[in-house]
Amino acid sequence: MKKKAVILLVGLFALLGAACLSMARVMHGEEYVAAARAQSLYKLDIAQSRGTIYDCGLQPLVGGETEYVAAVAPTIQAIGALEKATGGQYRQQLAVALENGRPFQLVLEQPVDNPLVQVFRVPQRYSQEQLAPHVVGYLDSLDGGAAGIELAMDDVLSQCGGEISVTYRVDAVGRVLAGEEPQVVNTLEESAAGVALTLDSAIQRLAQQAAQKLGKGAVVVTEAPGCKIRAVASVPDFSPLDLSEATQREDAPLVNRAFSAYAPGSVFKVAVAAALLEEGLGELTFTCVGSLNAGGLQFHCVDSTAHGELDLEGALAHSCNCYFINAARVLGGQEILSMAYNLGFGSAQEFGRGLWTAAGELPTLQSLGNARALANWPPRPCRCAPCSTSWPAAASTPPPSCWKALSARPGSCGPCPPPRLSRPRGCSPPPPGRCSKPCAPPPRRAPARPPRRRGPRWASRQVPPKPACWKTARSCCTFGTAASSGRGACPGGASPC
């Protein structure tokens, strides 16, 4: 009996020793300590941002509007201070938050100056009067790029993101511990990096206002002679803040009509004029009587107006249909078809990674043997990558990509520069603290498909994503001037300016 009692006592001591050892491991184990600390913290996410999209003057096209967001620990003192500062405007929300007991955020109309309430100025990605919505694009439900530049440069814009968060120390039921200072993380300044386009905000705003008169159509403005696109407006437009409304409309506002395919109508006369010049027929004259028969079909000028004897310049000035039908007869289908192909008709152009214009169609040479078809060409939609608003028809139909060069340089039929939505680096000094050349550019993704004709680039010039030279050195790159801040150097071997 005594022996059994000793064995039982030894067993009890062994169990007690094992329990003590286990408790010691729990108390001193790093993973358990970390887990305990994590459970006592509450993170309140105030805002998240991504890289900025700029115009040619590095004026932001996104994030122009801001709102005030308060981070509040629901103590009686903090709720009382906020109630008094807002004049009871948010009384119901504050009462619910106080009962819940967890830290919360509240969007304010005006900032509140009180040490118990932390207020942050948070940029809004889009605005009600958003500039260039079809170019900028919009985000999906996961805040990833879904269209436009937001999609084409999603990798760059995503890695340039920042955030605002406030972390509180809480008890077992999630209530904020009194006397503990919250930890604030604010990295929104990193979203100043991003992508720069050739669009000009002032011109874009005027183009969008003028385009509203069209009902449906597009307005495109380019700068001669470099053919840099300064404005792209498509109507009807939409608000990125209300995509559900846009998807339900029958007039398809999400379609970018500036880069869609259309039958260009009278604007195609520029291509015929270019073919005349190419064949040495720039002195061709014709007497317009208001109408012309082609293959048994009568074609008319506007209101059957008889323009009389015209040369090429006069025919362009009066947009004389009869002159250019006769010119098509003189040239033949092969010459006009070749000129149209050389101007980029019938082939898609890449405006950015994964962003293409509509290709449209060109008629066959065999079909142009028909006099009616030749006189009425092009009856089908052709590619309309826009470049110029120099011709009257451009007010209702966006013209093809290289007509700007013909209108800007009469008599010249050499290669014309493609329109583009990026500008050469170094064309003008950037504002202080801005980089014009990526310090550490991300790897370029392959195009979605091989282009038939290389076209304009949307944004090859990138404001550097999360560069060390912005965050610490505050240096910028290129432009070749010695103006380094002396606080560091750009990574990746780039030279500070």
Side-chain angles (χ1 to χ4, degrees), residues 294-315:
L297 185 65
Q298 201 74 11
F299 292 87
H300 301 267
C301 286
V302 177
D303 297 329
S304 297
T305 301
H307 296 113
E309 185 174 355
L310 296 172
D311 57 8
L312 177 57
E313 183 177 354

Side-chain angles (χ1 to χ4, degrees), residues 109-152:
E109 294 182 0
Q110 297 293 332
V112 173
D113 185 14
N114 191 292
L116 297 176
V117 180
Q118 293 179 305
V119 179
F120 303 93
R121 190 173 182 178
V122 178
Q124 300 302 293
R125 187 69 180 175
Y126 307 116
S127 61
Q128 289 291 345
E129 302 296 330
Q130 177 63 46
L131 285 179
H134 292 89
V135 176
V136 171
Y138 48 87
L139 304 178
D140 58 23
S141 58
L142 299 177
D143 289 334
I149 290 296
E150 297 279 23
L151 173 62

